[in-house]
Structures are given as C-alpha cells and as structure tokens.
C-alpha cells in the first residue's frame, strides 16, 4: 500500500532518509517523555522518532495515511516498537484539537514536515500552549523558517520572529531542496529548532504585547509613532526616542520595553 500526496492538504512526502534522520536527530530529548509528529504521511520521519526514548504520537488528517500507518507501517518496520505504549496514531486536525487534554498536561515536543499553508498557525498554537511544549523542530517553507529565526534589523524579521522568540530560542538548522520530495514543491524548505526559554512568561500584559507587535508590523515601513496611533498615546510618550524607530529595528527586549511604556501611558 502506498499513499498518494493530496494537493488540498499541502502534502509533499519527504523521500530522503538522511534528511528524515537529521530532522529526528534535531530533538534534544531533554525535559519531555512525549513527541508529537504532525502530518506523518507514510512515516519517513516517524520511524527515526520511534528509535528514540520518548513515546511517539502522530496526528494525521489524511484518512489514507492513517490507514497506512495502522496497517502497513508496523509490518514494514517489524523491528520497531509500534506497541500502544510507544506509538499512538490520532486521526484529526492539530489546529482543532485541545492540546492540553490530548496529552493530559504532559510535556510534549512537537516535530514534523509541516504543510506550508498552515505552518505559521502550527507555530502560533505551540506558542499558545508553550507551558507544555518545551521543544519544537520541523520543516517549513524556507522563507518562513528564516522569518521565525531571524533577528532584528532584517527585512525578514516580523511578527512571527518576535512572537516566537519572546518565548523560544530559535535556530535555523539547514536547507532542504525540492528534489527530495514527492511531489517536489516549487520552493526550498528550511528546518528550524525552537527550545523554550527558562523564563517563558512576559513581564508585561501578554495580550497587549501581541497587539503592539502586530499593530507595529502591519505598517512596518512607518515609524512607531505613526503605526501605533490607534493606542492614543500621549504627546510626551511619543517624544521617547523608541517611537522614531521602525518595528524591524526593535529586538524582543525592546518590544517588551515598548509595551511597558504603552501600558504605563494608557493607565
């Protein structure tokens, strides 16, 4: 049995075993006993995860892939432990699942060769559940992977960079060419690793921080005193030198500082 890649699900099956192993090996296996793989397809990455210590759960929306993983995968990889204690298959959409309930408040590392069309949403959901996600590794469209790991001062740096790096240390690991997929995508892919910071809470109101970051980057070419007009800031605050900067010039720490100033000004 083989599974046909489905365009509407954004499926591109990885065919290179070395790259699959490299992605699996990007996990540190520190601070968790569970790994969740999103979109396993035919299990090219899954088999390398099953060689590691943590219990492996895969979440797959495609019923044909689920059937393959239930019936054919264990037979093809007879030496791997695919018992219920080590391997669980969940049919469903990661974006719609209650993450905390699914894993009973356990620490879970997330990994996958993510469908390009929902990859940013997957990251945002991991951030939302960061209390239970100490690590996150995976493959994205290269441009998105670079954006997540980019530092301030670059045109690539944006909302995704700041909101991810507020809670995780991000590292761009390596680039993957289209030729190692079936069917090949039209762009390069990039693999990144996120490791949760020791202190992953913010010293400011989180909703306000998110709002400040998103509002600033919605008009990224403008100075902050223009792009943040909707906050009705006092004239004296707008004299602060930070408001003469553009959002891409601000580090995560500067955005936290900016949020603190806005919070004090609007109280």
């Amino acid at each position: 049995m083989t599974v046909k890649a489905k365009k509407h699900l954004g499926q591109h099956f990885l065919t290179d075993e070395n790259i699959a192993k490299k992605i699996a090996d990007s996990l540190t296996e520190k601070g968790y006993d569970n790994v969740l793989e999103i979109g396993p397809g035919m299990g090219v990455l899954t088999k390398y995860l099953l060689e590691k210590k943590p219990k492996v759960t895969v979440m797959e929306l495609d019923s044909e892939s689920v059937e393959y993983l239930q019936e054919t995968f264990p037979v093809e990889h007879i030496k791997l432990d695919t018992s219920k204690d080590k391997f669980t298959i969940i049919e469903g959409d990661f974006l719609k699942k209650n993450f905390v309930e699914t894993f009973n408040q356990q620490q879970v590392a997330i990994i996958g060769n993510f469908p390009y069309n929902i990859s940013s949403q997957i990251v945002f959901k991991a951030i939302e559940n960061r209390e239970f996600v100490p690590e996150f590794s995976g493959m994205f469209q290269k441009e998105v992977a670079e954006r997540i790991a980019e530092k301030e001062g670059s045109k690539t740096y944006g909302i995704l960079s700041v909101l991810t790096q507020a809670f995780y240390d991000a590292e761009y690991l390596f680039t993957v060419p289209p030729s190692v997929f079936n069917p090949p995508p039209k762009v390069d892919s990039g693999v990144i690793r996120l490791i949760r910071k020791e202190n992953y809470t913010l010293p400011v109101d989180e909703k306000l921080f998110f709002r400040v970051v998103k509002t600033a980057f919605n008009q990224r070419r403008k100075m902050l005193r223009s792009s943040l007009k909707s906050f009705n800031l006092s004239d004296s605050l707008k004299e602060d030198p930070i408001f003469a900067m553009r959002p891409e010039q601000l580090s995560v720490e500067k955005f936290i500082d900016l949020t603190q100033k806005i919070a004090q000004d609007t109280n």
Side-chain angles (χ1 to χ4, degrees):
M1 179 185 176
T2 57
V3 179
K4 190 182 176 191
K6 294 163 190 66
K7 196 173 181 181
H8 72 282
L9 292 176
Q11 289 178 328
H12 296 275
F13 294 141
L14 181 64
T15 56
D16 189 303
E17 297 290 335
N18 290 329
I19 290 172
K21 188 174 187 310
K22 266 178 86 175
I23 295 170
D25 287 346
S26 70
L27 291 176
T28 65
E29 299 182 62
K30 291 174 185 170
Y32 53 88
D33 299 314
N34 293 275
V35 172
L36 168 65
E37 182 189 357
I38 297 168
M42 290 173 66
V44 64
L45 174 58
T46 315
K47 59 179 179 282
Y48 294 108
L49 297 174
L50 285 166
E51 290 174 355
K52 298 182 178 296
K53 284 180 188 172
K55 182 187 173 186
V56 177
T57 300
V58 296
M59 199 173 285
E60 177 59 72
L61 191 55
D62 177 24
S63 55
E64 193 184 1
S65 290
V66 171
E67 189 184 339
Y68 172 87
L69 291 165
Q70 286 171 338
E71 295 176 16
T72 311
F73 183 80
V75 178
E76 287 182 349
H77 303 286
I78 201 82
K79 290 180 181 175
L80 292 174
D81 182 359
T82 54
S83 66
K84 285 181 180 177
D85 292 337
K86 176 70 176 175
F87 184 45
T88 303
I89 301 163
I90 298 174
E91 183 170 355
D93 183 346
F94 171 72
L95 297 176
K96 292 177 182 171
K97 288 278 182 191
N98 184 316
F99 187 83
V100 181
E101 275 181 20
T102 303
F103 290 96
N104 199 22
Q105 299 193 338
Q106 294 181 78
Q107 296 292 301
V108 186
I110 293 175
I111 195 166
N113 169 22
F114 305 118
Y116 290 161
N117 55 342
I118 59 164
S119 61
S120 297
Q121 291 166 269
I122 291 170
V123 174
F124 283 129
K125 182 155 182 180
I127 291 170
E128 204 179 294
N129 292 280
R130 64 188 176 277
E131 188 184 342
F132 306 103
V133 183
E135 196 168 292
F136 184 112
S137 256
M139 182 143 52
F140 296 79
Q141 184 174 332
K142 187 187 179 193
E143 190 185 303
V144 177
E146 286 175 336
R147 200 179 301 150
I148 292 168
E150 191 59 89
K151 294 295 178 195
E152 70 275 9
S154 156
K155 286 181 180 175
T156 315
Y157 182 74
I159 295 170
L160 201 52
S161 326
V162 177
L163 297 187
T164 305
Q165 292 173 42
F167 308 107
Y168 289 88
D169 292 318
E171 187 182 358
Y172 186 96
L173 300 177
F174 57 92
T175 302
V176 182
S179 56
V180 299
F181 293 93
N182 180 28
K186 291 176 180 169
V187 292
D188 283 344
S189 301
V191 176
I192 59 163
R193 174 173 57 214
L194 308 177
I195 294 178
R196 187 177 61 199
K197 293 182 174 181
E198 274 189 39
N199 182 4
Y200 53 89
T201 57
L202 295 179
V204 289
D205 179 271
E206 194 180 295
K207 284 183 180 172
L208 181 60
F209 175 77
F210 276 55
R211 199 177 133 219
V212 167
V213 173
K214 288 176 179 176
T215 307
F217 278 107
N218 280 341
Q219 299 181 63
R220 64 180 299 140
R221 290 182 183 176
K222 291 188 176 181
M223 289 183 190
L224 293 169
R225 67 167 61 101
S226 297
S227 59
L228 299 178
K229 263 184 182 172
S230 60
F231 287 89
N232 297 319
L233 305 171
S234 65
D235 290 338
S236 59
L237 181 63
K238 282 189 279 191
E239 291 306 308
D240 190 301
I242 200 167
F243 287 92
M245 297 173 80
R246 291 181 175 84
E248 66 194 43
Q249 296 175 287
L250 269 65
S251 64
V252 172
E253 289 72 27
K254 282 256 174 72
F255 265 110
I256 291 169
D257 186 33
L258 174 65
T259 307
Q260 283 171 332
K261 289 176 179 186
I262 290 173
Q264 286 162 5
D265 187 64
T266 52
N267 274 347

